Amino acid sequence: MVILVVNCGSSSVKYKLLDMQEKKELVSGLAERIGIEGSKIKHEKADGGTLKLEQNLADHKAALEKIIECLTDDEYGVVNDIAEITAVGHRVVHGGEKFNKAVLINEDVLNELESLFDLAPLHNPPNVVGIKTCQELIPHAPQVAVFDTAFHQTIPDYAFNYALPYQYYEKYGIRKYGFHGTSHKYVSGRAATMLGKPLTDLKVVVCHLGNGSSITAVKNGVSVDTTMGFTPLAGLPMGTRTGDIDPAIIPFIMEKENLQPDDISNIMNKKSGVLGVSGISSDFRDLEDAEANGNERAALALNMFIYGVKRWIGAFGAAMGGLDAVAFTGGIGENGKELREKVLTGLEYLGLEVDAEKNNIRGKEQIITKDGGAVAMVVPTNEELMIAKETEALVIK
Ligand code: ADP
């Protein structure tokens, strides 16, 4: 079975083609700057060979048509005909409270997705465009939606409600939804496999640390709490996002600086986080270099992030009544060995004792703590594989 995984953003399409029998990725690619000057596609075959195209891509349909051409290209293609694609799995950011698992897409599902546009105005509309376009261009293939929020629908009401007048939850669906669910599910599953124990017997804290970061408490295989909230702005400080701040700061700054809701939202999403604090960069490698050269604000930004991760690990240990494992994933979690060591230092009371030698790795599955006690580990995430597996499961049924 060959599955195409599609992730449509507002001006981009990320894609991967996976052969499920062979458990192999065939190709991955990215179409960028769709509808903007300078659009391009990078198409990389897993066994070598990269095709780079610079050409006008007026809309998502034009981009997906070109992607299909690449997939079936004589030299850079990996299938002879699109008929070889069994199904398409779409990453959909927001499933609201309606979707607690992946679904096969039909007319009703599409209508439901459109009714969720209010909750994810930047993400769900391009996701739906991607689905409709694939229905048109690959009509024989069933389409599946896999939601970033679905894994977190098991979070109990006392953890997902905000202490606002209850009517806002009823009227507008204001509650914690959580994101990165596909990654948290995949990584917690791999952590259990690495430990040789059933996931249903484990308490795992998954730290997905990248440009966007979130931490999830996975107890007995289900999400019981997560740091992101109504939107992906909540929780940890991130590359450019604030994370949690005292909500009273928002009207205060708006008044002082004479800002409109869009202005403050832009500041909180794009100009804050470690970029805002350091004034240097949202990229953790730049910050580590700057810190090494004595830059105090870079050091402050990194320390705030590290403290945040440490604090949430402790909080989620409390939420689950203990913890067996902490799994690090995402660009920073997988590669930032110094940062991992700093996060774990001070958590010995939880039974976590980092082993400097084992921790000296990047981007591969490995336990990084000393034997005995709780375990910390690195687990490279693979959201596309998880989307493909969920798609396969629905299509086989
Ligand atoms: P996204 O959330 O966009 O998927 P990624 O998961 O790719 O982001 O993470 C990107 C982040 O990972 C960047 O801040 C980058 O600096 C960080 N990163 C990548 N490699 C390293 C490294 N070797 N050390 C520390 N941070 C790293």
Side-chain angles (χ1 to χ4, degrees), residues 14 180 208-213 239 241 274 282-288 329-339 362 381 383:
K14 276 193 211 145
H180 287 147
H208 179 116
L209 312 176
N211 283 319
S213 295
R241 295 178 224 160
V274 293
S282 63
D283 191 301
F284 277 65
R285 282 162 296 196
D286 296 343
L287 296 176
E288 286 179 350
T329 195
I332 302 164
E334 291 166 29
N335 298 301
K337 50 189 176 188
E338 277 176 33
L339 185 135
R362 293 186 196 285
T381 195
E383 286 162 283

Side-chain angles (χ1 to χ4, degrees), residues 75-352:
E75 193 179 346
Y76 293 97
V78 281
V79 288
N80 295 318
D81 190 284
I82 57 160
E84 290 175 34
I85 298 174
T86 323
V88 185
H90 295 267
R91 177 194 181 209
V92 178
V93 168
H94 219 305
E97 288 187 321
K98 285 178 182 142
F99 299 106
N100 61 6
K101 52 181 186 292
V103 283
L104 209 51
I105 294 164
N106 57 26
E107 215 38 53
D108 288 345
V109 170
L110 271 176
N111 290 337
E112 301 251 23
L113 291 182
E114 281 173 3
S115 75
L116 293 169
F117 280 4
D118 239 12
L119 290 180
L122 297 179
H123 296 103
N124 273 30
N127 296 158
V128 168
V129 169
I131 293 169
K132 288 185 170 169
T133 311
C134 286
Q135 284 179 324
E136 196 183 324
L137 298 177
I138 317 175
H140 70 273
Q143 317 271 327
V144 169
V146 181
F147 302 94
D148 262 25
T149 51
F151 185 55
H152 300 300
Q153 279 297 304
T154 43
I155 294 176
D157 58 359
Y158 54 82
F160 77 62
N161 267 290
Y162 292 117
L164 285 163
Y166 197 72
Q167 63 189 15
Y168 297 130
Y169 168 54
E170 295 174 314
K171 258 165 95 175
Y172 306 120
I174 294 181
R175 51 159 286 177
K176 175 183 282 198
Y177 290 99
F179 298 88
H180 287 147
T182 309
S183 175
H184 289 296
K185 186 174 180 183
Y186 173 80
V187 170
S188 53
R190 288 302 309 162
T193 305
M194 285 168 73
L195 291 170
K197 292 187 181 152
L199 184 57
T200 44
D201 289 350
L202 289 172
K203 295 166 181 155
V204 186
V205 174
V206 180
C207 305
H208 179 116
L209 312 176
N211 283 319
S213 295
S214 70
I215 301 185
T216 295
V218 184
K219 185 178 184 182
N220 306 335
V222 300
S223 168
V224 295
D225 204 350
T226 192
T227 56
M228 283 180 172
F230 177 60
T231 72
L233 186 57
L236 291 166
M238 307 181 209
T240 61
R241 295 178 224 160
T242 55
D244 293 345
I245 60 170
D246 179 340
I249 295 167
I250 300 161
F252 184 90
I253 296 180
M254 286 176 80
E255 206 179 324
K256 292 279 181 205
E257 303 262 323
N258 195 18
L259 300 176
Q260 296 302 309
D262 276 356
D263 305 325
I264 191 82
S265 175
N266 190 43
I267 290 169
M268 292 174 69
N269 276 290
K270 306 229 167 97
K271 303 208 162 125
S272 301
V274 293
L275 168 69
V277 173
S278 68
I280 293 177
S281 172
S282 63
D283 191 301
F284 277 65
R285 282 162 296 196
D286 296 343
L287 296 176
E288 286 179 350
D289 290 348
E291 183 187 35
N293 289 325
N295 187 297
E296 286 178 11
R297 292 246 305 272
L300 172 63
L302 286 168
N303 286 338
M304 286 169 69
F305 183 81
I306 290 161
Y307 173 67
V309 177
K310 206 188 275 273
R311 197 161 55 93
W312 281 110
I313 293 173
F316 285 165
M320 296 190 291
L323 65 84
D324 300 303
V326 176
F328 290 95
T329 195
I332 302 164
E334 291 166 29
N335 298 301
K337 50 189 176 188
E338 277 176 33
L339 185 135
R340 287 194 302 256
E341 183 164 351
K342 286 181 181 165
V343 165
L344 291 170
T345 304
L347 296 183
E348 294 79 9
Y349 78 99
L350 290 171
L352 292 160

